[in-house]
Amino acid sequence: MSDFSILSLIAGIPGLIIAMVVHEYAHARMAVTLGDFTPRLMGRLTLDPRAHIDPIGLLMLFLVRFGWAKPVTINPNNFKQPRRDDILVSVAGPAANLIIAFVTLFLLVLFTKYAGRPSSGAIYVLRLIIIYNINFAIFNMIPIPPLDGSHILRELLPRDLAYQFDRLERYSFLILIVFLMTPILDWVFVPMQKMIWQLFTMLLGIFF
């Protein structure tokens, strides 16, 4: 492995950890806010990485760019409006990633314009934080079980179709592997990334 690859892995650690922790914490916080205290009882209402990171999932992220965190367990029966609230909990994770990505971009632009250009190393780390958080948001919105997008789709479907959709979960790992090995992923990521950057550019235009 080249020095560049090693440096890239090291520089990516903050971005990966922040993306995973913020994502899972947002799920937990939204669930608790909506009346389900299961995440709090299970110790997930924290920004401590140890509560959210799955060591094997993190290692896989570094090795093959596909990994996972410990999923936040919720009990929809505790929600006042289970279908709506399950959607809100599912959206919370990707939304938090996008917020972190934009705030990081905002700070990077702010420092560059008013505090002098940061070091190349700092810029690289900040860029990876932005990229990883955007990618986490997009990937988790894909409607394949058990990703967040599948929860949203399931709750929007009529009950009979939702039941059939749930049966796909037993094949979810195989479906994800096939998905990752085809150009379909690029067809999803590229337009979504462009749309998000356009949104960020528009928002930055409000401040600068």
Side-chain angles (χ1 to χ4, degrees):
M1 183 178 290
S2 67
D3 291 339
F4 177 77
S5 297
I6 294 175
L7 290 175
S8 297
L9 290 175
I10 294 174
I13 291 176
L16 285 173
I17 291 178
I18 289 172
M20 295 174 76
V21 170
V22 166
H23 185 95
E24 299 302 330
Y25 173 79
H27 285 318
R29 170 56 65 184
M30 182 61 73
V32 171
T33 300
L34 294 172
D36 178 26
F37 296 100
T38 306
R40 173 178 288 169
L41 295 174
M42 298 186 69
R44 303 302 299 276
L45 198 63
T46 176
L47 289 172
D48 185 342
R50 294 173 296 181
H52 303 290
I53 291 178
D54 183 309
I56 296 177
L58 182 61
L59 180 62
M60 291 296 288
L61 268 172
F62 282 116
L63 296 179
V64 299
R65 295 296 185 266
F66 169 66
W68 55 88
K70 297 176 183 176
V72 173
T73 301
I74 65 171
N75 183 357
N77 293 325
N78 293 325
F79 296 143
K80 293 181 179 179
Q81 299 186 46
R83 299 186 73 174
R84 182 206 66 179
D85 294 349
D86 190 25
I87 291 175
L88 291 175
V89 171
S90 299
V91 169
N97 286 132
L98 291 180
I99 291 171
I100 291 298
F102 177 73
V103 169
T104 304
L105 177 61
F106 178 87
L107 292 175
L108 179 57
V109 173
L110 183 67
F111 291 153
T112 302
K113 288 181 68 70
Y114 299 110
R117 184 176 176 84
S119 68
S120 58
I123 291 176
Y124 190 38
V125 170
L126 291 173
R127 286 184 62 188
L128 289 178
I129 291 174
I130 296 167
I131 291 170
Y132 283 141
N133 274 278
I134 290 175
N135 288 348
F136 251 68
I138 297 173
F139 183 74
N140 276 281
M141 288 302 291
I142 296 172
I144 298 176
L147 300 177
D148 298 324
S150 70
H151 287 263
I152 297 170
L153 178 59
R154 182 189 63 204
E155 299 299 351
L156 293 175
L157 289 172
R159 282 303 179 192
D160 55 340
L161 291 179
Y163 175 75
Q164 296 297 325
F165 183 71
D166 281 339
R167 297 177 64 181
L168 289 176
E169 190 156 4
R170 71 184 73 177
Y171 310 110
S172 60
F173 186 75
L174 177 61
I175 294 172
L176 278 173
I177 293 299
V178 172
F179 190 82
L180 291 169
M181 294 175 65
T182 65
I184 298 176
L185 189 63
D186 290 333
W187 298 345
V188 173
F189 264 78
V190 173
M192 288 298 295
Q193 286 172 333
K194 288 181 179 179
M195 185 179 71
I196 290 169
W197 278 109
Q198 288 173 352
L199 174 62
F200 283 0
T201 301
M202 181 182 69
L203 292 174
L204 284 174
I206 298 174
F207 300 99
F208 300 102

